[in-house]
Amino acid sequence: MPTGSLTGQVALVTGAGRGIGREIAIGLAAEGMAVGLIGRTHQTLIDTLKECVRHGARGIAVTADVCHPGAVREAVRAVERDLGPVDFLVNNAGQVDRTEAPLWEVDANQWWQVVETNLRGPFNLMRCVLPAMVERRRGRVLNLNSGFALRPDGHYTAYATSKGALLQLSDNIADSLAAHQIVVLDISPGAVATDMTAGMPMFADTTEWESIPYMVAVAVDAARGRFDGLHGRFLHAGRDDLEELLSRAEAIREADARTLRLRPYGPDDPMA
């Protein structure tokens, strides 16, 4: 798929009522994309939609919980009916553990709610959006991931588990999507001062945050196809030199790098 203008293309952004999702939606609208906005709070979605319209973009706001397959299915239908087939899906909606606590002390229902939002949500969206992309043999999916996907964390077990599973999901579907010329990327924005992140105790004393405008620019570049050569890989917008990764894209693919893999203990490890 060529890199270039986004005018006339359609983006669908979840969690678009606030935070990173809102800013990405507005940034895509400013580049000429029509935007489908999905979230749980009607008024915040309408506020985002108004900002998108100010850039001359077409848009639609649909209230839906990404955890509910039926609601997602109807939301995607509404977006496709009003705007057309989705070219760029941004799975941004997410939750985090409400408290820092070991697994045996957590609220079990809230724990599963985090996993459902962060993993089942993207699955539900991809399950509805991908068939049309496959039919048209074009499309891009951006999953907002996290550095928590790559390291264990005993205080945020739901969030870390769900983000690791999301990265593994992307890895598992990457080859089959590539056969249909569809790109999937998992990109971490780093520690951005959103309502969710700023409320986490581990960030209580943080004074320097990653730039939301920078993550918006990365998302726009992803929509344009700039990172297609890193299909199926994990990128950390807050830490990576993206130019360096792009220059090494072929080597990264050959080494099967930037994916979750078991590390063998040595050449005699049967899993090596």
Side-chain angles (χ1 to χ4, degrees):
M1 292 175 290
T3 301
S5 172
L6 297 176
T7 302
Q9 294 191 42
V10 177
L12 193 162
V13 183
T14 69
R18 55 174 61 88
I20 296 174
R22 168 187 166 87
E23 298 307 318
I24 288 177
I26 296 170
L28 294 171
E31 294 296 324
M33 296 193 85
V35 288
L37 313 175
I38 294 179
R40 292 185 298 172
T41 306
H42 178 71
Q43 187 55 56
T44 59
L45 289 177
I46 294 300
D47 291 343
T48 302
L49 180 59
K50 289 178 180 178
E51 289 299 317
C52 293
V53 170
R54 287 194 180 100
H55 289 283
R58 294 185 300 133
I60 177 176
V62 186
T63 305
D65 187 332
V66 297
C67 295
H68 299 159
V72 169
R73 185 167 55 250
E74 291 305 312
V76 171
R77 285 176 179 170
V79 171
E80 292 177 336
R81 181 194 65 229
D82 286 13
L83 304 179
V86 175
D87 298 288
F88 186 49
L89 169 63
V90 181
N91 281 313
N92 164 76
Q95 291 194 40
V96 70
D97 308 50
R98 191 172 294 136
T99 59
E100 290 187 349
L103 182 70
W104 55 92
E105 294 179 2
V106 301
D107 180 324
N109 290 329
Q110 202 266 332
W111 197 96
W112 276 111
Q113 187 178 46
V114 171
V115 174
E116 279 203 301
T117 301
N118 298 351
L119 179 61
R120 192 181 187 187
F123 166 82
N124 286 338
L125 267 299
M126 288 190 284
R127 183 66 184 82
C128 291
V129 170
L130 284 176
M133 288 186 175
V134 168
E135 183 177 352
R136 292 179 293 124
R137 295 184 64 79
R138 66 184 306 270
R140 297 181 175 96
V141 177
L142 170 58
N143 294 322
L144 269 289
N145 210 302
S146 168
F148 279 85
L150 310 177
R151 64 177 187 271
D153 189 286
H155 298 296
Y156 293 97
T157 54
Y159 187 73
T161 297
S162 64
K163 291 300 186 180
L166 178 60
L167 180 54
Q168 189 69 23
L169 174 60
S170 297
D171 192 11
N172 274 282
I173 64 176
D175 285 348
S176 56
L177 290 181
H180 298 283
Q181 300 181 32
I182 299 167
V183 171
V184 60
L185 295 164
D186 278 52
I187 300 183
S188 168
V192 175
T194 64
D195 291 342
M196 184 182 83
T197 307
M200 297 168 68
M202 68 177 293
F203 294 123
D205 298 324
T206 300
T207 56
E208 294 185 7
W209 298 89
E210 301 294 346
S211 166
I212 289 183
Y214 179 64
M215 184 58 213
V216 173
V218 170
V220 169
D221 277 348
R224 286 199 177 104
R226 183 168 177 240
F227 304 116
D228 284 2
L230 294 166
H231 166 65
R233 312 295 158 178
F234 176 88
L235 313 180
H236 200 304
R239 296 182 182 179
D240 280 326
D241 181 335
L242 297 179
E243 293 292 340
E244 176 72 11
L245 288 185
L246 286 170
S247 71
R248 295 176 177 267
E250 184 176 353
I252 288 171
R253 292 194 301 271
E254 289 179 355
D256 210 11
R258 288 303 180 112
T259 57
L260 287 179
R261 293 290 184 270
L262 184 69
R263 296 191 300 273
Y265 59 73
D268 297 330
D269 189 334
M271 297 301 292

